Amino acid sequence: MSKHLSQEQLLRHLDGELSPFAGWKAASHLKTCWACQVELDHLKERIAAIVDAQSLVSGPALPPPPRPWARLEPRLERASAEAVPAWRGIVPLGGKYFKSALALSGAALALAVVGVSLWFSAPPVFAKDVLARVTTADGKRLAVTNRHVARQRVRIVKTSRSAAAKTVRVASWSSSKATYWESAEPVGAELLERYASRGLRSALPLSPTSMQAWVEAAGAEPSAARDRGSIRVEVASQGAGRAHGLERVSLRIKEEDWHLDEMTLAFADATYQITEEESGVVAREQVPADVMAHLDPVEPATGTTAAPEAVSIPAASTVNLDDLEMGVRYDLHQIGADLDEAIEITPRPPDRIRVEALQVSPKTRERLTALLGNKPGVHLDFAAPGSAARTPTATHIVTQAGGSPAPADARLVAYFGSAEAQENYTRLVLEASGTLLSHLYAMQELATRWPEDQGLRLSASARSQLDAMVRDHALEVEKFASGLHRELAPLLEHFGLPMSEPASAQARVPWREGARTGLDAALRVNRVLRSLLATSDSPLTTEQAFPRLRQDLDDLQKIAVQL
Amino acid sequence: MDDSIPLQTKITSGKPSLQERVVSLYESHREGIYRFLVGHGLPPGEAQEVAQDVFVDLFNALRKGTSIGSEQAWLYTVAGRAAVDYWRRNRFAGSAQIDFDSAAIDLRSSEPSPEVQAATGERLRRVAAAVARLSKEQRMCIQLRMQGLRYREIASILGVSTSTAAEWLVSAVGSVRRDSQ
């Protein structure tokens, strides 16, 4: 790292909020930079003072509660009674049933048995996991090609305080270009307006996109629980969601295939229960021609197109967020910005990608703006540059030489000829190792973002972009791994550990697996190099370091040629 | 086997019930949640109500099998959202007014001398006053971080991006340093 850490980087490092690569770089830099170590200590002192001041001054100085604290038990008992779990019906509870010690112990045992059986039969479900599984499963189920269209028919029950419940049906279709809803009742159009207000004009009523957008709109943590063969996910609206009139979102998911088959949207003035009656993917030929006209909109030659009768929903473009994100990553890759840890990319369903550039230089900012500033669907956000950024300086490598060099250090210095030559060599190999790691981290990020099964969600062009990026990184990994191998071979040989010939290309390994194992090996190499040549928490002698280094370099080089 | 202990006690004494657990958390954390809410501008009466509500919410969430990593962090997340809601409803709500100059400080420490204790107390008063002068968002960031929340969780409560939350934290720490010297 060629410059000091900013205050934000130091704080993020302290809080464990840097990405793995950025965290590694920060830790590496701190090991060799006194200025940043001192700055980190100052930051810790400031935080300690704030924590002390809050707990010793501000907290005690606040007004005490106006009333004695009420017991919570009555409220918890009322909360329990509001929705009695099924098992409560099996075991009678209440004082009148427990008049004898025998009854008491029997009931307690029964409860324990029921509790144990429930424990084993129904492991807890986690809402975020459930939503991720639904996104994957329903995403595949409703994926369309140029020759297919997704079709969905839902029943909508609208209830409100001012009118009787009303049931309507909405048929909807979605192609790779547009989505179309059709309903003979105003409730369908009304619901679509609600969807449109959330930017969901191009989503099917029950789809991963709409599900995610409504859960996000509620602005609170979802909770999940099993309910008679299904999973219920509930979100009680908070903050912005409530301000928009949304009070609650409830989902019903079939656990057997992670399929969302019902969603209830409760607004302040009405509740819509949307239940799937039918959904699937059909060939375009099976879709009525008037519907296809909406799914394949043609630029109007003259005048306006008359809206079909009983059709309330105009067509709109759909966005494949995975493709959009891949395009952004590919653009960043073209300028090498995918190796920069300071850029975060977050999909924002239904149709946006947020790119947050943290602490980037004015030049990078300019390049990113030119690259992504006008890209449709991309929101580029720059965090303010660190106020305490200091003048960049060269990296200082501190060798282990102390007042009286250890015999091993003396042998190294003798090999290099001088401490300065050793420092130059150390800088060279550590920079190569750092570059190698940055490519492997970038590959691993792609692998994490698009695991094997999710690559299917990408269009052909997005897949080719992914392949191109992986290929570029793999070539760089091979180049730097071979370079390190070549550079370190004479050193190892001098100390009696000749290296084996560099491995030649063998059978390829899947790149996702190769990125993971390659990263492990590269981190091991880097650790040994630092322990041997630079400052380290656990310095190694040449006798300890060289055998490990030889093994790890061999491992790394073999993996690199297989990528 | 000791027959003097009632069977029910033997069965239930190993692990507290959910209700017992939440009541125990209520007793440990209600004052902290209350102070957090009052510190963020809620009137004491409302803060006390909300402080009780968040424990009932926790109880309901646990009953439904919601995955909760840190119960304390969860409580402060809900309390933080309540405070943000309150700001939105009451746009001019400020922070609680505290007289830091006369605030009593119980250092409970082994400071070597009364002089050092006095100096430490004075320094902490200045820091506390500097924290009170931060924007409400910055103060919220600091207090939620103190309760162990991650940047993403803090950002979610405040409705901002993670980088903005990080930026507010950094600027808050910097402002306190400058303002308390």
Side-chain angles (χ1 to χ4, degrees), chain A residues 308-336:
Chain A
E309 287 177 25
V311 171
S312 55
I313 291 73
S317 298
T318 55
V319 174
N320 180 336
L321 266 190
D322 282 276
D323 279 9
L324 185 56
E325 183 182 345
M326 185 64 77
V328 168
R329 286 182 183 274
Y330 189 71
D331 286 345
L332 294 174
H333 176 71
Q334 297 307 308
I335 60 166

Side-chain angles (χ1 to χ4, degrees), chain A residues 15 54 70 83 126 224 356, chain B residues 26 48 63-64 67 143 151 163:
Chain A
D15 285 342
Q54 289 297 101
F126 306 117
E356 285 180 76
Chain B
Y26 173 67
Q48 196 173 10
R63 282 176 66 237
K64 286 179 189 166
S67 164
Q143 295 201 332
Y151 289 8
S163 58

Side-chain angles (χ1 to χ4, degrees), chain A residues 7-8 11-12 15-17 39 43 46-47 49-73 75-77 79-80 83-85 104-105 108-109 112 119 124-126 219-225 234 238-240 242 344 346 348 354 356 358 381-384, chain B residues 7-8 11 15 19 22-23 26-27 30-31 34-36 38-39 44-45 48-49 51-53 55-56 59-61 63-67 74 78 81-82 85 88 96 98 100 103-107 121 123-125 127-128 131 142-143 145-146 149-152 156 161-164 166-167 169-170 172-173 176-177:
Chain A
Q7 288 289 307
E8 180 168 340
L11 187 62
R12 279 178 176 258
D15 285 342
E17 294 276 354
E39 198 54 44
L43 187 58
R46 279 170 226 145
I47 291 170
I50 289 173
V51 171
D52 284 348
Q54 289 297 101
S55 55
L56 295 171
V57 184
S58 305
L62 289 166
R67 294 180 298 280
W69 287 100
R71 289 178 67 244
L72 197 64
E73 288 87 336
R75 291 193 63 185
L76 300 186
E77 277 153 20
S80 296
V84 183
L104 189 68
S105 54
L109 272 172
W119 177 264
V125 285
F126 306 117
E221 282 295 307
S223 62
E234 300 273 347
Q238 296 266 359
R242 206 162 265 276
E344 285 183 10
T346 318
R348 296 278 177 182
R354 184 190 187 105
E356 285 180 76
L358 318 170
D381 190 10
F382 291 105
Chain B
L7 183 57
Q8 188 189 29
I11 291 170
K15 191 177 174 185
Q19 180 168 323
V22 174
V23 168
Y26 173 67
E27 282 161 6
R30 65 190 180 197
E31 289 283 347
Y34 164 79
R35 281 198 297 270
F36 172 82
V38 172
Q48 196 173 10
E49 287 289 323
Q52 289 172 356
D53 290 347
F55 289 93
V56 178
F59 178 69
N60 285 329
R63 282 176 66 237
K64 286 179 189 166
T66 306
S67 164
W74 194 93
V78 176
R81 290 202 172 112
D85 277 352
R88 287 180 180 140
I98 301 171
F100 292 102
I105 304 175
D106 178 10
L107 287 172
R123 186 172 60 87
L124 290 182
R125 281 196 190 91
V127 173
V131 171
I142 282 187
Q143 295 201 332
R145 183 67 197 95
M146 277 175 61
L149 269 68
R150 312 299 304 170
Y151 289 8
R152 281 192 189 283
S156 156
S161 68
T162 309
S163 58
T164 302
E167 204 181 303
L169 263 175
V170 172
V173 174
V176 169
R177 182 191 56 164

Side-chain angles (χ1 to χ4, degrees), chain B residues 40-118:
Chain B
H40 287 292
L42 268 76
E46 189 161 346
Q48 196 173 10
E49 287 289 323
V50 175
Q52 289 172 356
D53 290 347
V54 297
F55 289 93
V56 178
D57 288 349
L58 174 67
F59 178 69
N60 285 329
L62 289 170
R63 282 176 66 237
K64 286 179 189 166
T66 306
S67 164
I68 293 175
S70 157
E71 285 153 345
Q72 186 182 343
W74 194 93
L75 288 167
Y76 278 91
T77 300
V78 176
R81 290 202 172 112
V84 173
D85 277 352
Y86 182 80
W87 296 345
R88 287 180 180 140
R89 290 199 309 274
N90 303 273
R91 292 179 59 199
F92 301 105
S95 57
Q97 296 301 310
I98 301 171
D99 179 5
F100 292 102
D101 292 336
S102 57
I105 304 175
D106 178 10
L107 287 172
R108 289 186 197 177
S109 68
S110 53
E111 295 289 6
S113 67
E115 291 76 21
V116 173
Q117 286 203 21

Side-chain angles (χ1 to χ4, degrees), chain A residues 420-465:
Chain A
E420 191 186 354
Q422 182 180 343
E423 188 176 323
N424 289 337
Y425 180 85
T426 302
R427 183 177 295 116
L428 177 79
V429 294
L430 287 182
E431 278 178 8
S433 173
T435 308
L436 174 67
L437 278 168
S438 68
H439 285 284
L440 283 163
Y441 272 115
M443 279 181 92
Q444 196 192 35
E445 186 166 351
L446 291 172
T448 308
R449 181 62 193 83
W450 285 283
E452 187 70 47
D453 58 342
Q454 287 191 25
L456 298 171
R457 286 161 48 183
L458 296 166
S459 68
S461 66
R463 270 203 296 274
S464 59
Q465 287 176 328

Side-chain angles (χ1 to χ4, degrees), chain A residues 75-281:
Chain A
R75 291 193 63 185
L76 300 186
E77 277 153 20
R78 278 202 302 277
S80 296
E82 278 168 13
V84 183
W87 55 266
R88 287 283 298 271
I90 301 168
V91 183
L93 294 178
K96 65 181 180 178
Y97 294 100
F98 295 105
K99 287 180 179 165
S100 71
L102 189 62
L104 189 68
S105 54
L109 272 172
L111 263 177
V113 169
V114 170
V116 167
S117 63
L118 279 174
W119 177 264
F120 283 107
S121 64
V125 285
F126 306 117
K128 283 184 180 165
D129 286 352
V130 172
L131 297 181
R133 283 173 183 273
V134 172
T135 301
T136 305
D138 276 351
K140 279 185 193 169
R141 192 174 290 119
L142 296 173
V144 294
T145 65
N146 288 337
R147 294 198 303 258
H148 293 90
V149 167
R151 185 176 67 188
Q152 186 173 72
R153 195 173 66 205
V154 296
R155 183 179 70 246
I156 300 169
V157 180
K158 179 190 173 188
T159 51
S160 64
R161 292 193 189 94
S162 56
K166 189 164 180 60
T167 302
V168 302
R169 286 187 166 71
V170 166
S172 57
W173 292 265
S174 180
S175 72
S176 55
K177 292 181 184 165
T179 298
Y180 174 67
W181 288 25
E182 188 177 83
S183 173
E185 300 284 345
V187 171
E190 192 182 300
L191 183 63
L192 182 76
E193 278 309 305
R194 305 250 188 198
Y195 271 59
S197 72
R198 296 298 318 167
L200 284 170
R201 196 169 273 277
S202 58
L204 291 170
L206 292 173
S207 63
T209 307
S210 51
M211 173 189 79
Q212 285 171 351
W214 284 116
V215 168
E216 190 176 299
E221 282 295 307
S223 62
R226 287 196 168 78
D227 180 19
R228 288 166 292 179
S230 294
I231 292 176
R232 287 268 177 200
V233 174
E234 300 273 347
V235 201
S237 209
Q238 296 266 359
R242 206 162 265 276
H244 285 98
L246 179 64
E247 295 191 331
R248 180 174 54 85
V249 178
S250 172
L251 311 169
R252 187 178 71 190
I253 290 135
K254 285 199 283 186
E255 192 173 3
E256 60 195 25
D257 55 359
W258 301 105
H259 176 47
L260 170 70
D261 69 351
E262 188 176 284
M263 175 159 66
T264 302
L265 303 172
F267 295 92
D269 55 344
T271 296
Y272 301 84
Q273 185 185 52
I274 308 157
T275 309
E276 183 188 271
E277 291 190 334
E278 181 195 351
S279 81
V281 174

